[in-house]
Every structure is written in C-alpha cells, then in structure tokens.
Amino acid sequence: MFPLSHMLKSFVKVGTLKVIDAEGRTHVFGGRAAGPDVTMRLTDPTLYRSLFLNPELAAGEAYMDGRMSFENSTLRDFLTLFSKNRLSLGSYPLQKVLRAASRGVKRFQQANPVGRAQKNVAHHYDIGNDFYRLFLDRGMQYSCAYFTSDDDTLEQAQQNKLRLIASKLDLKPGQKVLDIGCGWGDMALYLGRMAEGVQVVGVTLSREQCKLANEKAKALGLADRVRFELRDYRELTERFDRIVSVGMFEHVGVAHYGEYFAKVNELLTDDGVMLLHSIGHMSPPGTASPWMRKYIFPGAYSPALSEVFPAVEQNSLWVTDCEFLRVHYAKTLAHWEQRFQANRAKVAEMYDERFCRMWEFYLISAEMMFRTGSQLVFHMQLSKKRDAVPIVRDYITDTQREYIARERERGIGD
C-alpha cells in the first residue's frame, strides 16, 4: 500500500476511511474532525500505484470496473468524504506537481475548434434521447434548475429557471432571438410561447437534440416561429435582438473565450441583450477533473470568473447584471440521481452495468462539487449599451409575475 497509504494519511482530515486491500488487510485513515465513515475494498493491487498517481481518474475507473467497492457505506458516502477532503489532497506534494503540469496543458485539453466541438458534444449528448428521458424533467432540461422552495418538484424548479432567464432577457414583441446550445429546445420553446411574435432560432451540435427539438416545436404549433438547426454558432451571420445560452459555455474552452464573446458582439444588434447561464467556480483558475474529461465531457471546463471577465471586457461588452446560483445545481443533481436510481434496471438493459456505475459516479460527484466544493452557476447579462435594460432590477421580478399569469392562461407547465 505504500506510498498510497502515506498520501491517504495526509488526505483524510474529515471523517474516516477504512481501506481493505487486495490481500484482505485493513488500513484506517482518520481525520481529526467528524465526517463520513467509509469502508472501501480494493480487489486489484495495481490500484495502489494508480490511485497514488492520479486519484480522481483511478477512483472513477476502479468503481466503473468493480475493482473498488464499499461495505457498510455507499459511493455517495465516499464521494462526500472525498469532496470534504479535496483541499488536503490538492496540497499533497505530488498532487501539487501533477496539477501544475495539468494547468500547463489545459488549453490543449479544452481545444474546441469547429469540427472537434461537434465530436465532443456527440460523445455525451447523442447517446440516446430515451436514456435522458429516464432522469430529466418532462421538458428534458439538462441544466441547473431554480428552486424557490425546498418543496419544488424538479418540473417546477425547471419552469422557474425558464421564467427567470426569460425575464432577464426583457423581451419585446417581434424580436429575433438566438439560443446558443439549445439542448432539447425547452428554453427556445418557452420564449416562443411567452413573447408575442418573437422569432427564435436554436442551434446545437447534437443531432439527437436537434431532431427532437424540431419535433416538439411542430407538436406545439410553433414551427413557423421557433426552429432548430444543427449548426455551430460560429457559422451564424444574421443579427439578433436577444441571445440566450444555457449550459453551453462549459464546452467552449478558455482558449476560445475571446472568440466566443467576439461572436456574441457580432451577432447582437446595437441595443441587444444576452443572458449567459453557465457553471463556474469561486476558486482560482484550475483544470477539469481528469475522469470527467475522459468519460463524460471531453473538452469541457467550468471557468473561474476571473477567466471570463477579461474576455468580456476585451470585446467591449457591458456586464449589466450578474447573479449566482450557489446550491441550486446540487439540488438539481440530487433529483436526477434519484430518478436515475429509480430507473437503473432500465439503464442496465439499454447499456450495461459499467455504464450504470459511470453515471452514478458522475451524478453524485457532480452534486458534491456544488454541495461542498467550489462550483456554482452564474447568470451574466451582457449588452453593447449600458442602458439596454432598465437600470433597476425590478423589471425582472415584475416580468416573472406577468409570465406566471401567462403560463396559467396558456397551460404551460401543467
């Protein structure tokens, strides 16, 4: 177990980790502070080295392959313990060196030029709409919901999110709207149903999403006003009064931020407004999880705000409003994981046990990033003019009230 045991002694400051090694020996690593009590069994002695050298990647792979399991505890217990001790792991000398090396090549890890971006998106989003239906809300929104109450259902919280974002766009009748990274279309369809005479274009790099979004528009009788295209946003040339982007910026990559905001500036009308909804983090610039990057979101990265603002400033855009959703994504992910577990047998039939373990690891570890880690979601409102929206935020609350009334009139969200 050495040198893994040496690192684990430094790692576990909160809670207790018992490791049963491949020879059946038990090693106990206990922190001074109370926390989760986890018993981990390792069945492969090669894990001692791989966990020491790259713990995040190796732990995820070992759980997927069944070489790591838990007794009298769960994967959630382990990932909670891991998250609570994340900083002490990062301060271990070898991990400091490896993380510094990773930061040095992160621009290559996050390269998303036209072409490769579509391949990276397809890796995650084109694995089948039927799978995503098993754990997302009815509208298949795959981004952070907005909980106005702990009693909100996932459907209610996702409706709250649509309403909040739409209110921040300050839509006017007849405006042209672009949805960058439109997913399965619910944001664009909501805007098309709530604002009179608006024309909405949604673009995505996912074939599965584009096909279903257009089917939904047709079913709702909105195909003449809301359309979806399989297209990279960088290929667009027309201008829009409003731009919205939800959960897409994480796939841009730091090296492309200047390109992204330059294109936003180009696509916005002179008095246009954009609302960017993205995952970020409150800590200094870092790198994406190696396991997440390899198995879940290739090319993706959630930025520090200090990496976003310079690119906005360099492209002459006003940040007219900014809001932070700190715990809402943890709640969202908890709902997704509960629904995933309720349908786990169906997932295993569609794919296999290893796939199920991969998604369990993903959903719970992502939840921990928002519950005890440094992740958050930010709303950044952008414009070319300082007075493109009212200078007092009351209009956001007032518009939400108006939209609630319209939702009731039009049976939206029922």
Side-chain angles (χ1 to χ4, degrees):
M1 281 279 290
F2 189 85
L4 176 60
S5 59
H6 185 269
M7 184 175 74
L8 291 177
K9 287 177 183 177
S10 300
F11 167 48
V12 185
K13 305 293 186 185
V14 177
T16 303
L17 176 64
K18 301 182 184 75
V19 179
I20 304 172
D21 66 24
E23 289 75 36
R25 296 170 300 204
T26 300
H27 311 261
V28 181
F29 307 95
R32 291 183 293 273
D37 188 347
V38 178
T39 299
M40 171 199 297
R41 181 178 288 277
L42 304 178
T43 59
D44 182 355
T46 65
L47 285 173
Y48 308 158
R49 183 174 184 274
S50 59
L51 284 168
F52 175 69
L53 293 174
N54 199 336
E56 291 187 59
L57 177 61
E61 290 181 332
Y63 182 74
M64 288 165 58
D65 297 338
R67 294 175 295 146
M68 172 194 292
S69 60
F70 302 96
E71 300 181 0
N72 302 316
S73 53
T74 64
L75 175 64
R76 175 174 288 276
D77 295 330
F78 169 70
L79 290 172
T80 300
L81 181 141
F82 185 93
S83 184
K84 288 179 177 290
N85 290 280
R86 186 182 299 272
L87 293 179
S88 59
L89 178 64
S91 65
Y92 189 74
L94 176 64
Q95 295 304 315
K96 276 187 176 181
V97 172
L98 294 176
R99 292 185 183 204
S102 182
R103 285 194 294 272
V105 298
K106 75 176 185 179
R107 286 180 174 265
F108 300 101
Q109 296 169 345
Q110 298 167 24
N112 284 293
V114 175
R116 181 189 285 187
Q118 184 161 0
K119 291 180 182 178
N120 286 341
V121 166
H123 174 90
H124 189 82
Y125 295 96
D126 283 346
I127 59 177
N129 291 337
D130 288 343
F131 166 65
Y132 286 102
R133 286 190 182 96
L134 294 177
F135 67 92
L136 298 180
D137 66 296
R138 286 191 298 271
M140 295 178 70
Q141 295 184 64
Y142 194 25
S143 57
C144 177
Y146 185 66
F147 291 83
T148 58
S149 165
D150 287 340
D151 296 327
D152 283 349
T153 65
L154 180 60
E155 277 69 23
Q156 289 171 328
Q158 291 291 15
Q159 187 79 5
N160 295 340
K161 185 264 300 293
L162 294 177
R163 188 186 310 122
L164 176 64
I165 291 175
S167 300
K168 292 180 178 183
L169 286 171
D170 193 30
L171 280 170
K172 302 294 187 294
Q175 288 185 326
K176 290 175 59 179
V177 184
L178 171 65
D179 184 351
I180 299 176
C182 61
W184 285 278
D186 250 35
M187 184 78 251
L189 293 169
Y190 182 86
L191 297 176
R193 298 173 79 183
M194 297 304 294
E196 302 299 331
V198 298
Q199 295 287 325
V200 188
V201 177
V203 295
T204 176
L205 294 177
S206 166
R207 294 182 185 278
E208 293 276 328
Q209 290 181 337
C210 187
K211 181 175 181 293
L212 182 56
N214 276 311
E215 289 172 358
K216 289 163 71 172
K218 185 177 180 180
L220 289 169
L222 294 172
D224 60 328
R225 294 196 293 114
V226 183
R227 74 179 192 274
F228 301 94
E229 300 178 3
L230 185 67
R231 199 172 183 187
D232 193 298
Y233 75 98
R234 289 167 287 194
E235 298 171 347
L236 298 170
T237 56
E238 59 184 307
R239 300 178 80 196
F240 297 87
D241 303 293
R242 297 292 186 265
I243 298 176
V244 64
S245 186
V246 179
M248 175 272 180
F249 190 67
E250 300 90 330
H251 301 279
V252 171
V254 174
H256 298 277
Y257 287 173
E259 178 185 33
Y260 179 88
F261 289 112
K263 192 65 181 180
V264 167
N265 192 315
E266 175 189 327
L267 295 174
L268 271 179
T269 57
D270 290 343
D271 58 352
V273 176
M274 181 195 188
L275 196 286
L276 175 63
H277 168 120
S278 174
I279 299 172
H281 58 87
M282 51 71 67
S283 50
T287 60
S289 156
W291 182 86
M292 201 77 76
R293 188 173 63 243
K294 181 176 180 179
Y295 290 98
I296 306 297
F297 294 118
Y301 171 66
S302 302
L305 291 170
S306 59
E307 295 174 292
V308 181
F309 275 98
V312 173
E313 295 163 357
Q314 289 159 13
N315 285 284
S316 303
L317 291 167
W318 282 88
V319 178
T320 47
D321 192 80
C322 210
E323 182 175 2
F324 302 97
L325 313 183
R326 290 152 290 138
V327 185
H328 295 270
Y329 216 158
K331 292 176 176 290
T332 306
L333 284 153
H335 277 275
W336 289 348
E337 200 261 335
Q338 289 167 8
R339 293 183 179 203
F340 177 89
Q341 295 296 355
N343 289 289
R344 195 182 191 284
K346 293 180 182 178
V347 177
E349 288 179 9
M350 294 168 68
Y351 302 97
D352 57 25
E353 177 62 21
R354 189 172 188 269
F355 183 91
C356 290
R357 286 171 170 265
M358 179 177 73
W359 272 78
E360 286 171 340
F361 198 91
Y362 157 50
L363 291 171
I364 299 173
S365 61
E367 178 189 340
M368 290 305 118
M369 291 177 190
F370 289 93
R371 198 171 294 285
T372 58
S374 63
Q375 300 284 73
L376 50 78
V377 169
F378 64 89
H379 280 182
M380 187 178 287
Q381 187 189 62
L382 303 168
S383 67
K384 293 183 181 180
K385 296 170 57 178
R386 74 187 72 209
D387 58 352
V389 293
I391 60 172
V392 178
R393 296 184 88 246
D394 292 4
Y395 74 95
I396 299 173
T397 303
D398 293 342
T399 304
Q400 286 185 82
R401 293 195 187 101
E402 293 176 16
Y403 283 178
I404 289 173
R406 290 185 199 174
E407 288 169 17
R408 290 171 179 163
E409 290 172 5
R410 300 171 189 184
I412 298 174
D414 292 345

